[in-house]
Amino acid sequence: MTRMHRRRFLTIAAASAALPAGLSHAATVTETAKWQGVALGAPAQMSLVGLSDADAAPIIADVTAELDRLEGIFSLYRDSELTRLNRDGVLAAPSAELIEVLELSDALNKASGGAFDPTVQPLWLAKGGQGDVTDAKARVGWDKVAFNANEVRFGAEGMALTLNGVAQGYVTDRIAAILKDAGLKDVLLDMGEVAALGHRADGAQWTAGVSTPAGEIVARVKLTDRALATSAPMATVLSGNDAHIFRPDGQEGALSLAAASAPSAAVADGLSTALCLVDDATAAAMVAQFAGARIESIA
């Protein structure tokens, strides 16, 4: 099985002048509380700049607890709601978070003319050397997925979902909300997808770079209360040198990289994935359907 090993960095930069009310203020902007762990199956680390270890401890505890909870919903690599759905073809009493991501996936599927399709998981596995590609294509189709607050159900045997094209952004949104609730007003959060709250210590907007898989910065984007996501089909290569982002018929798009921004990291994440799969005319119309979203870079 081909598996993505992209390292994720939860890097939170918070100016000491914007520390949550009630903290000791003993920390300086040069002091940094750090954490290392796992997020969505990949190594992750978090740095809270300007916070002492004591001040950061309850925030880190809340963040790690939320990451673990969300892993229990979206992970493809441990027991989760998603893996149980893929195993059984039906999931009773799905979480509100899973339904929210499925609703966004449905909107992205419609806006992209069907190009964005989370049911490609069987084909993803087959392209990675686990199964027959022709057989896998017959088990792909978003129209065969039914969901509501009571149940998620597949309409054909052997179907499976991957939410990797949107869940990472959703998790980023949830962690940003925790930091905001903790009183951090000026934050730059990078969890593979970038979310920016407020401003830098000097009052300027946060700046995030759009980079290729090789690390070359191709664009810089100013962000305030906004998220940025980048997708590159060849960032992970499957068996036969196939890209890991492809349409439900198995065909790849023409782009090597796409970046989108939006008020929500989940929306930006989904759009950056879908942009890799559609033509220019569809891209513009698709992004226009999501309030505040825009294309930042395509190549």
Side-chain angles (χ1 to χ4, degrees):
M1 176 177 176
T2 304
R3 181 170 172 180
M4 189 179 298
H5 291 284
R6 178 167 61 178
R7 186 173 182 84
R8 296 186 175 94
F9 297 92
L10 284 73
T11 305
I12 293 104
S16 59
L19 293 180
L23 294 190
S24 67
H25 287 266
T28 69
V29 293
T30 58
E31 191 166 11
T32 302
K34 294 185 177 182
W35 165 84
Q36 290 185 326
V38 175
L40 293 182
Q45 67 181 23
M46 179 166 63
S47 299
L48 290 136
V49 180
L51 296 186
S52 68
D53 288 339
D55 286 337
I59 299 173
I60 290 175
D62 287 346
V63 167
T64 55
E66 182 69 349
L67 284 173
D68 185 67
R69 188 181 73 85
L70 294 171
E71 287 261 10
I73 299 172
F74 299 116
S75 176
L76 278 171
Y77 306 116
R78 57 175 265 189
D79 181 56
S80 69
E81 290 188 24
L82 183 58
T83 56
R84 293 194 295 275
L85 170 63
N86 287 348
R87 179 193 66 206
D88 301 334
V90 61
L91 178 72
S95 65
E97 291 84 357
L98 180 60
I99 293 301
E100 190 173 354
V101 169
L102 292 177
E103 288 173 344
L104 176 56
S105 297
D106 186 61
L108 289 161
N109 176 266
K110 290 180 171 65
S112 66
F116 181 96
D117 190 328
T119 67
V120 296
Q121 179 66 3
L123 186 52
W124 196 91
L125 291 172
K127 280 174 167 279
Q130 295 188 61
D132 179 76
V133 169
T134 300
D135 176 65
K137 287 181 180 179
R139 292 182 278 124
V140 172
W142 182 250
D143 60 334
K144 302 186 194 68
V145 180
F147 61 91
N148 56 41
N150 299 316
E151 178 183 89
V152 184
R153 181 178 293 273
F154 296 150
E157 292 285 335
M159 293 184 68
L161 294 182
T162 172
L163 297 173
N164 286 350
V166 66
Q168 185 171 313
Y170 184 85
V171 172
T172 302
D173 284 332
R174 289 296 310 134
I175 300 307
I178 286 175
L179 298 173
K180 188 174 182 178
D181 288 345
L184 297 179
K185 298 179 180 179
D186 301 306
V187 169
L188 183 67
L189 167 63
D190 183 352
M191 195 180 165
E193 318 306 347
V194 177
L197 304 177
H199 298 79
R200 299 187 333 185
D202 60 5
Q205 289 181 292
W206 295 106
T207 300
V210 176
S211 66
T212 67
E216 178 188 0
I217 302 295
V218 296
R220 296 188 184 276
V221 181
K222 300 288 186 181
L223 300 170
T224 298
D225 298 324
R226 193 169 184 83
L228 173 72
T230 302
S231 294
M234 296 302 289
T236 296
V237 179
L238 305 177
S239 300
N241 206 37
D242 288 341
H244 78 285
I245 298 175
F246 47 83
R247 291 189 284 262
D249 62 1
Q251 297 300 305
E252 298 171 14
L255 295 183
S256 60
L257 179 145
S261 67
S264 157
V267 171
D269 189 8
L271 287 175
S272 71
T273 302
L275 283 168
C276 296
L277 303 172
V278 299
D279 58 33
D280 291 346
T282 302
M286 174 181 69
V287 172
Q289 295 184 49
F290 296 87
R294 60 175 177 257
I295 300 170
E296 297 292 354
S297 181
I298 54 175

